[in-house]
Amino acid sequence: MEQSHPIRSAVDKVVGAVTGDGGPAEIPGVPNSAPPSLEEPTEPREPLPPKPDQSGPDTFSPTGQPTGAPQAKVAQDGAYLTTAQGLRLRDTDHSLKAGPRGPVLLQDHHLREKVMHFDHERIPERVVHARGAGAHGVFRGYGAASNITKAAFLGKDVETPVFVRFSTVIGSRGSADTVRDTRGFATKFYTSEGVFDLVGNNMPVFFIQDAIKFPDVIHAAKWHPDREIPQAQTAHDTFWDFAGLHTEATFHTLWNMSDRGIPRSYRMMEGFGVHTFRLVDAEGATTLVKFHWKPKLGVHSLVWEEAQLLGGVDPDFHRRDLADAIEAGAHPQWELGIQVFPDTPEQTFEGIDLLDSTKIVPEELAPVQRIGLLTLNANPANFFAETEQVAFHVGHLVPGIDVTDDPLLAGRLFSYLDTQITRLAGPNFAQIPINRPHAPVNDMLRDGFHQTAVHRGVAPYRPNSLDGGCPFTAGAAERAYVEVPLEVSGRKVREAPASYADHFSQARLFWLSMSPVEREHIIAAYTFELGKCYEQAVKERYLGVLANIDSVLCRQVAEGLGLPAPAASQPLADSPPSPALSQIGQTWPADGRIIGIVAGDGNGNGDGDVAALGAVRQAVLDGGLVPLIIAPTGGKLGGTLPVQRSFVTARSVEFDALLVAGAPAPGKDAYGARDAKAAGGADAPVDPRVLLLIAEVYRHGKPLGGWGTASQAFSEAGVPAQAPGVLLGDDGTSVLRETLELLGTHRVWDRFPAAASLT
């Protein structure tokens, strides 16, 4: 059956909206499921229900038994404030005192409980991946992997609940979303056979080959210990000192310096299992695989200036984007794929060592086979209880999936359990609702902090007769987990295989696979990061690393640093490009993209007709995108059209495209003392903040459309009317149609000329 073109489908929806088909959609971001009253509510009532986009963990007991309880019944309930023991309270604003001005009495049990709990509300943040966002969803297996694995959740049309957490690596919980960094992509599958955690990143390789170096690379990448700066970035001496001395980090570092290091959205980000895993079929035959997540919306990134602006304008940009998309019904989707390799004794493929986590297998050599679909369809009801307390572990496996001898994976198998004991205060973290398996648990593990299962029986050991022998071990017929019985031999040494010594050939492959504009971005990233280092020796040493990737890359970065470009210390690899590594060259759906619509004050001051604006807004909604009206002030244009952003609060980095209705006159607050962006604008023909929006959108390569007198605004902003991706028309709906076409490639790449040496 022929598939429809995703962008054409969106355009067709717009046409339908213009003709009256389709219904309205809500703008995401509403705080609660019911609007507040102007006055403080005083009539007791039950808690408000969650918003339609929110969901909590499914209601299973601590031992993995479905309880059948509605999710609302495991949340706090009741119309009246109580203590933790259920005692209703008359007052929570005043301590118990000896008279209104007297000393506070020690007997105030409510004060003690309230402050005590507050004092202990925070738990240790993750050492890495502290800054994260999560969502609930469902995974549906295609059955395409059933011939190589007996994992039940991968069977045809089997649906499995999941919880996914995205994160940055280096920064603390209070850092910004849009820093240049690797992103975590961790998925918890609540399968019928137990929990399976696929704990990966948005990059398929890692900095190191052996987990024993993990503390070193993280200590180097984190802030300097004397000042605890810089936060959430690698643009400093200790990281580049390490990376220049441990050149096995070269390939991952190049991924970070590419556009992959600053994704546009979690929804537009690939995921990788990083390691090679072993799949086992029902007969015990084995296959080696690498896991991939392929986003339905394509792989897209920010440009560097956007990332910098967002760090100040909206440091929560990625978590907000994810939550808003789910709330708006633009549910993010990824296909799970695998690269398949024969399980040979050498565990190599086409000369590539499959146990080396600093290497990839190009997709042209081993195509990614799609085996299932992940859809995120619900936001957490409580960030702490779910996103912060979710505990992943690469050792959470199910029958049909086994690990390999990757030394980085071996260390992770130890580390994840160890860290949960500290973060979540003991060994019973699996009983926290978000971590509970959806399969029966009978583990004979007892007691410890936060033991919430009420165990029965008297014999938590095996073998026993006092509990009738229960629990019993299972055999293969009962789908027990059985490790693959591999032969193991060798001398006890602290060494790496010779294949691990190649640190540059795949980095060169990546560089040669980039388009000219992507190469320009990589050069700029290296120049910025190394330029923030203090020590000249650190810069010079890393230029030597870049010389072993490509002479043009090295020379361009050296010029930016004002240093000579060294020669390569070894012959450069001759690698054919891998088009799959580039983010440019394909067309993707525009679902859930943010469209800014700039208008005047609704009184005919350069804003066009309010009814026409409403038609454009509705067309955007019915096209599966999110429109945000931008006007001089908040409120409603013409008394009917809601304004989501004002000239004060709007900034271009929030939008994927900008539509301009006319040439809005300066707002009443267009003077520098009120808003520096509007300095000198009181007597200007167009509000300076609108001109800034237009100029930034143009500079960042985003589609820019206008109608009416918008050409005047474009001219005032210095934007050529004939430039690529600048759309002028007679009405907003026709301009929107062309805008949707351009959004399929994410940016107007023709606006980014590259140096001749890179083309």
Side-chain angles (χ1 to χ4, degrees), residues 140-449:
R140 178 172 59 84
Y142 292 164
S146 296
N147 62 324
I148 58 173
T149 179
K150 59 186 177 182
F153 79 99
L154 294 174
K156 184 173 176 56
D157 294 329
V158 174
E159 293 195 348
T160 302
V162 300
F163 187 82
V164 177
R165 186 177 186 271
F166 304 103
S167 56
T168 54
V169 173
I170 299 173
S172 68
R173 280 195 63 191
S175 58
D177 279 347
T178 56
V179 295
R180 183 180 294 281
D181 195 3
T182 306
R183 268 42 180 206
F185 192 136
T187 307
K188 184 176 290 291
F189 297 82
Y190 303 95
T191 87
S192 60
E193 300 176 298
V195 167
F196 171 59
D197 286 345
L198 182 54
V199 195
N201 290 331
N202 74 323
M203 299 176 186
V205 291
F206 202 61
F207 292 106
I208 52 175
Q209 297 164 325
D210 192 309
I212 200 169
K213 297 181 184 179
F214 192 79
D216 300 309
V217 67
I218 298 304
H219 289 165
K222 288 277 192 177
W223 48 75
H224 291 200
D226 55 346
R227 302 185 182 188
E228 205 174 81
I229 55 174
Q231 169 66 256
Q233 57 178 301
T234 56
H236 55 88
D237 288 85
T238 59
F239 175 77
W240 290 104
D241 180 48
F242 177 89
L245 294 169
H246 276 74
T247 53
E248 66 195 64
T250 301
F251 194 16
H252 189 170
T253 300
L254 183 56
W255 276 81
N256 260 349
M257 295 303 104
S258 78
D259 291 342
R260 304 279 187 146
I262 43 175
R264 157 62 180 82
S265 164
Y266 291 136
R267 299 179 291 130
M268 304 164 198
M269 190 174 81
E270 279 186 302
F272 303 90
V274 180
H275 310 285
T276 299
F277 289 83
R278 179 174 278 110
L279 299 188
V280 188
D281 69 13
E283 284 69 46
T286 60
T287 304
L288 299 181
V289 301
K290 285 184 175 290
F291 289 107
H292 295 245
W293 289 113
K294 295 291 187 180
K296 286 284 196 175
L297 296 180
V299 187
H300 304 305
S301 297
L302 301 167
V303 296
W304 181 229
E305 186 186 29
E306 282 183 293
Q308 291 177 301
L309 290 171
L310 280 165
V313 173
D314 187 3
D316 305 306
F317 181 69
H318 282 154
R319 62 171 63 181
R320 188 189 312 280
D321 175 271
L322 178 67
D324 282 357
I326 293 172
E327 184 179 351
H331 296 154
Q333 291 185 316
W334 292 259
E335 284 187 297
L336 180 62
I338 51 175
Q339 288 180 294
V340 179
F341 320 105
D343 190 359
T344 63
E346 298 78 19
Q347 297 178 88
T348 63
F349 182 78
E350 298 288 340
I352 300 168
D353 193 328
L354 296 176
L355 300 186
D356 183 351
S357 289
T358 67
K359 302 290 193 303
I360 64 167
V361 177
E363 293 185 26
E364 291 74 19
L365 295 180
V368 176
Q369 304 173 30
R370 270 64 168 181
I371 62 173
L373 179 67
L374 166 68
T375 303
L376 298 183
N377 54 22
N379 287 311
N382 184 277
F383 185 93
F384 177 81
E386 298 166 79
T387 307
E388 188 61 20
Q389 290 197 123
V390 66
F392 296 97
H393 177 34
V394 289
H396 290 163
L397 301 165
V398 292
I401 302 178
D402 202 349
V403 299
T404 57
D405 293 332
D406 176 347
L408 179 63
L409 177 56
R412 294 180 74 195
L413 288 167
F414 168 81
S415 179
Y416 279 72
L417 280 178
D418 196 50
T419 194
Q420 308 303 353
I421 292 172
T422 296
R423 286 197 66 248
L424 301 173
N428 291 310
F429 59 85
Q431 295 183 21
I432 296 171
I434 193 63
N435 296 320
R436 290 177 182 175
H438 294 191
V441 174
N442 196 348
D443 55 20
M444 295 195 301
L445 305 177
R446 294 294 184 266
D447 306 340
F449 284 112

Side-chain angles (χ1 to χ4, degrees), residues 705-727:
W707 58 92
T709 57
S711 59
Q712 177 190 354
F714 291 1
S715 177
E716 292 285 338
V719 172
Q722 303 304 317
V726 177
L727 310 170

Side-chain angles (χ1 to χ4, degrees), residues 620-649:
V620 174
L621 284 168
D622 291 336
L625 295 85
V626 177
L628 297 180
I629 299 291
I630 309 162
T633 65
K636 293 186 176 181
L637 294 179
T640 60
L641 194 61
V643 175
Q644 283 82 35
R645 300 290 185 272
S646 68
F647 292 171
V648 169
T649 61

